[in-house]
């Protein structure tokens, strides 16, 4: 007992204040090329940049990149079980952009996304839903049906929603690659800046709080 007290005091701590370090929260970013980091190095992809931003704010997180370029919501559903392994504590769901670009019936996209959400909830894995908006050239009817998918699902399943994943990036040449679609490294940083408050809300729901930093 005396030895424990001596070691504790030597470490500059009061007896009774020693506590286990908060373990990292294991998240998976499940998405398409916007998550995968199309034409970007791994460290510049969305999950890696978001993880660094959260760690800089004192959160202990690990974010696995489960983005597959070209994937649709149905494709994400097909690979759900192996893309989100046991032990995952939360999922950032970013799918639907390719559905929209292909003109997929919004009912198909909605059903696939809802099935993903339900299956994750059945496994006890909460979801943050990253929304997408339809391109203007797809017409008013399509845009109305597609754009409603994400807020509707968020309300129905009580999810944290980030309404538009590419907010501040879509239509901004300085933030997109030469294809006009995919974010550059700077664009990914803008995505992370925008989504960060929603992610912090999500982490709060999971019981994760930022650690206090020393002076």
């Amino acid at each position: 007992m005396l030895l424990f007290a001596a070691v504790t005091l030597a470490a500059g701590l009061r007896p009774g204040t020693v506590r286990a370090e908060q373990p990292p929260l294991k998240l998976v970013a499940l998405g398409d090329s916007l998550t995968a980091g199309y034409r970007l190095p791994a460290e510049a992809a969305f999950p890696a940049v978001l993880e660094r931003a959260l760690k800089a704010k004192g959160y202990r997180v690990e974010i696995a990149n489960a983005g597959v370029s070209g994937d649709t919501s149905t494709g994400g559903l097909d690979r759900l079980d192996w893309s989100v392994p046991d032990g995952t504590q939360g999922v950032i769901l970013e799918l639907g952009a390719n559905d929209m670009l292909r003109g997929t019936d919004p009912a198909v996209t909605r059903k696939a996304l809802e099935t993903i959400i339900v299956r994750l909830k059945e496994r006890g894995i909460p979801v943050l839903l990253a929304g997408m908006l339809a391109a203007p050239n797809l017409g008013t009817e399509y845009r109305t049906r597609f754009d409603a998918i994400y807020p509707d699902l968020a309300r129905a399943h009580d999810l944290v929603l980030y309404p538009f994943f590419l907010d501040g990036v879509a239509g901004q040449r300085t933030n997109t690659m030469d294809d006009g679609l995919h974010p550059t490294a700077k664009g990914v940083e803008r995505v992370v800046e925008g989504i960060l408050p929603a992610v912090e809300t999500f982490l709060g729901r999971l019981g994760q709080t930022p650690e206090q930093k020393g002076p």
Side-chain angles (χ1 to χ4, degrees), residues 141-152:
E141 180 183 356
Y142 187 93
R143 291 178 65 189
T144 299
R145 293 176 62 211
F146 185 89
D147 292 356
I149 293 172
Y150 300 90
D152 285 355

Side-chain angles (χ1 to χ4, degrees), residues 20 50 59 76 91-92 108 115 132 144 147 151 154 163 170 187 191 198 202 208:
L50 177 60
Y59 292 94
V91 166
I92 299 173
V108 174
T115 303
M132 183 53 57
T144 299
D147 292 356
V191 170
F202 183 57
Q208 175 75 277

Side-chain angles (χ1 to χ4, degrees), residues 115-133:
T115 303
I116 290 172
I117 292 164
V118 169
R119 283 176 52 179
L120 288 173
K121 289 177 72 174
E122 288 173 347
R123 293 172 60 189
I125 303 174
V127 175
L128 183 156
L129 186 59
M132 183 53 57
L133 298 176

